[in-house]
Amino acid sequence: MSETKMHLVPWDRLQANTVSVFRAAGSEAREAQLIAEHLVEANLRGHDSHGVGVVPMYINGVKSGGMVMNQSLTVAIDTGAMLICDAGQGAGQVMAHDAMALGIARARDEGSAIVSLRNSHHIGRIGHWAEQCAAAGMVSIHFVNVVAGAIVAPFGGTQSRLGTNPFAAAFPRDGAPPVVVDFATSKLAAGKVRVAHNKGVKLPPGALLDNQGKPTINPGALFDTPPGSLTTFGEHKGWGMMLACELLGAALVGAPTQHQKDGNGAVINSMFSVIVSPERLGTSGPFAAEMESVLGWVLSENEGGGSVKLPGMPELETKAKRLAEGVPVDAATLEQLEKSARDVGLTGFGAL
Ligand code: NAD
């Protein structure tokens, strides 16, 4: 397996070209912009698994009917404390954005809100939605299920049963970036295996089983017929959290759940979000003080030579570097972007 060459692409060029692909595919201007901004932000923050590399999957989704363009979010149930929104398989970057905006407004009025987003096309990097809440001064937690064909074996099993069901939480700070916890409940996000496969690099041990249930470090095993299975992070603990994402994110609110092996080609996400406004509750002062005490305490280890980072920090370090140097995109991904652009009638993805 030989590692492929990376191209360093200016983020704004990547974003403008991605907007063009979605405009050509039929997205209205706001939708194309929100999708492109989200994907390039994922690249900037180092999550190439959720960056422009998913464009081919989205364009295939548009063509197969799995992703419905220019969809509007509707509120199906509103009990005051809880909003259940239907996305109708609309573009996740619009559906999740609009659902979070509703939740933020509700939490601003009431102090807290639970918002459920049902049946959206892929909503990308979940931290993005936690950051939207944090930018409005809100603390939030997010449990997400994925319906796209089973891809993760439960702890104790060797056959895929669920998706990579991510979790995120964010805590806004005064005068500093928020703490952002954001991860798949599988040891590796599926997109990271795709990126490793495209780059021709091996996986860390323990993250993937081949289709015979045997551990492998070859990312191609996930794309075999039949495919291999990812494993859960944190053994039984990650498995429990993955299941909680499925039950809260989807089963509780009548959203699609993963209960069969094969998907229909589309990636469907549902998200259960709890949004809290410390300001409206009148607790923002003590909360900020306590949080800074905790953060200062955990980071004090670095004075003795430790390298403790707060969740969210690695992404900001990568962002600063990539804003300055460009976003690394491998040759296989560039080829896939070219093909997607031609599929929607463009002559190519555009100059980079
Ligand atoms: P990951 O394993 O890279 O973990 C990321 C988290 O760990 C972040 O909060 C990051 O700040 C923190 N972190 C990393 N290194 C750290 C360090 N040294 N010290 C402290 N904190 C550190 O994430 P992942 O599981 O590969 O997930 C990648 C992305 O995929 C996430 O954005 C997730 O939301 C997304 N995802 C989306 C879906 C979907 O269906 N939409 C499914 C799965 C994953």
Side-chain angles (χ1 to χ4, degrees), residues 1 19 39-41 57 68 72 74 80 106 110 125 177-178 196 225-226 232 260-261 269 271 275 277 303 310:
M1 220 183 258
V19 168
L39 300 184
V40 172
E41 188 65 28
M57 187 256 280
V68 178
S72 298
T74 57
R106 182 64 54 91
E110 306 292 343
R125 190 177 67 89
T225 312
T232 60
Q260 57 191 30
K261 192 129 186 101
N269 282 143
M271 174 164 68
I275 305 173
S277 168
E303 291 156 21
L310 299 177

Side-chain angles (χ1 to χ4, degrees), residues 161-315:
R161 284 293 179 268
L162 291 182
T164 55
N165 292 1
F167 168 84
F171 303 85
R173 300 172 69 192
D174 289 337
V179 173
V180 182
V181 180
D182 172 28
F183 50 73
T185 50
S186 50
K187 204 165 274 180
L188 285 181
K192 290 211 163 127
V193 183
R194 170 181 48 77
V195 171
H197 190 46
N198 281 350
K199 284 189 191 170
V201 297
K202 294 193 165 114
L203 299 178
L208 187 64
L209 305 173
D210 67 17
N211 57 19
Q212 304 301 306
K214 297 212 172 57
T216 176
I217 55 170
N218 169 20
L222 191 63
F223 309 104
D224 280 347
T225 312
S229 303
L230 295 165
T231 58
T232 60
F233 90 95
E235 302 185 325
H236 56 289
K237 302 180 189 188
W239 158 229
M241 198 154 176
M242 176 176 285
L243 189 58
C245 284
E246 190 73 19
L247 301 180
L248 273 174
L252 177 67
V253 292
T257 56
Q258 182 74 59
H259 49 259
Q260 57 191 30
K261 192 129 186 101
D262 297 324
N264 62 4
V267 180
I268 301 301
N269 282 143
S270 294
M271 174 164 68
F272 182 92
S273 303
V274 180
I275 305 173
V276 178
S277 168
E279 194 183 335
R280 173 69 180 82
L281 296 175
T283 59
S284 50
F287 164 60
E290 286 297 331
M291 177 163 63
E292 292 310 316
S293 297
V294 173
L295 301 183
W297 166 237
V298 294
L299 289 174
S300 68
E301 165 141 15
N302 293 345
E303 291 156 21
S307 56
V308 177
K309 293 183 183 188
L310 299 177
M313 276 172 62
E315 280 78 5

Side-chain angles (χ1 to χ4, degrees), residues 58 70 72 78 115 132 139 154 180 210 220-221 228 263 282 293 301 314-315 324 349:
Y58 285 20
N70 306 314
S72 298
D78 182 352
V115 184
Q132 182 182 346
V139 172
V180 182
D210 67 17
S293 297
E301 165 141 15
E315 280 78 5
F349 187 63

